[in-house]
Amino acid sequence: MSIKLNTRFAEGFVKDHELEYIKPLARSAFEMIKSGVGQGNDFLGWLYLPHQYDREEFARIKLTAEKIKKSCDILVVIGIGGSYLGARAAIEFIKSPLYNDLNTDTPDIYFAGNTISAAALTELLTICDGKDICVNVISKSGTTTEPAIAFRVFRELLVKKYGVDGARERIFVTTDKACGTLKQFSDESGYETFIVPDNVGGRFSVLTAVGLLPIAAAGIDIDAMMQGASDAVKEMTRTNDLDKNDALKYAALRNILYRKGKTMEILVGYEPFQTMFNEWWKQLYGESEGKDQKGIYPSSVIFSTDLHSLGQYIQDGPRNLFETVLDIKDTGVEFEIPNDPANVDGLNFLSGKDLNEVNKAAMLGTLFAHVDGGVPNLIVEISDRTAYSFGELVYFFELACAVSGYLLGVNPFDQPGVEAYKKNMFALLGKAGYEKEPNAKL
Ligand code: PA5
């Protein structure tokens, strides 16, 4: 295992008896998940997924990824929420032109259908102009408005460019195995389809075809990613002993902190390539926990960038927050700071040092400062940013999220609140059946 929870910077904030009190509760939340007796138990497909995934489909994902690599300059991935965040997080976290020898013959990957912005859609269409394009549209329900609009636009573009038969070779659909408009339309049109398993919710679906097809098309080793996740399943479902299970311990500690009024958690990274991972994490925790007027508000920052914006608030503002730092031990890139014989900027105390060393000093300095300022810090240590480690990391946060939800007393697998805006929007736009929404005519 390359993942480890370091609690050194939270110790002063959590008393021994608090940890003792939470232990049986965390054990019981964990056992509820394993035995499938809790609320939302029809959405536990992610729990053993890294052991039990559909090997035939997995092979087809790899073949399709090769086909995409050969036939296009740009892959447009259309989806919103859990239908795009995981793939985008993985690609940005793992892949970098400077880091390791990932295939360079991969298409540029752009994401669409995650906003209703005319500007964003127009910009992407301009980027696609004159390029060979493939599309992977992803929607579990097959009815979500944002990706449906983008798919309509890109489908039309592909049909114009390649004809109906040519477009069919370039459109790949990831959706429910049987239900929804998208499934029906794909079958009628003869598009190749991949399945979002019934028992896996959108925000837990990065290790299904939802995430794996775009990730593989980006040239990332999805075998290694599944291996990392599979090793994490073994390690993290082995024992319900909090002291030997870091996922369980993370869930328990954040619950203790929440009970003490720490109602906001900030996921902290020191690498810009972590930005979309933070977004994936925020959706996972926000949509799983924020219900019944309860839940930790998930927020995120990239330091040291945000030390020059939100740093002041974290150091000195209301004390209702805690941080969870993702400490990536090896970023795979070194950079030596040059020497200047004239030392005009006074920086020669850094000459010859690796920039990573300076970044780590910023991290340690910030940890001490924030703890001094009354902000507990948990640290999730991960050895590197490989596909294997990413798989582990995903599973760690998914399992901890499910345990956290049960500890909080909510169903971590539904998202009833997401519907409210849609009803009003449809009423405002005159969609049949939505005319009577109460607030729509304000
Ligand atoms: O996690 C979730 O369930 C949601 O964020 C969904 O992924 C999101 O709403 C998109 O839904 P769909 O895949 O049905 O288009």
Side-chain angles (χ1 to χ4, degrees), residues 338-383:
N339 185 49
D340 172 11
N343 197 19
V344 288
D345 47 16
L347 269 185
N348 273 0
F349 69 102
L350 295 177
S351 294
K353 281 197 198 304
D354 178 12
L355 207 48
N356 289 298
E357 193 186 329
V358 182
N359 210 10
K360 292 295 177 202
M363 184 176 92
L364 197 57
T366 306
L367 279 164
F368 280 115
H370 287 184
V371 166
D372 282 349
V375 180
N377 267 258
L378 300 166
I379 306 173
V380 176
E381 298 174 346
I382 183 96
S383 54

Side-chain angles (χ1 to χ4, degrees), residues 246-265:
D246 279 348
L248 209 52
K249 191 164 192 177
Y250 170 57
L253 285 169
R254 59 197 298 287
N255 188 269
I256 292 173
L257 293 170
Y258 176 69
R259 287 165 189 250
K260 298 174 83 131
K262 306 290 183 191
T263 55
M264 188 195 299
E265 178 178 13

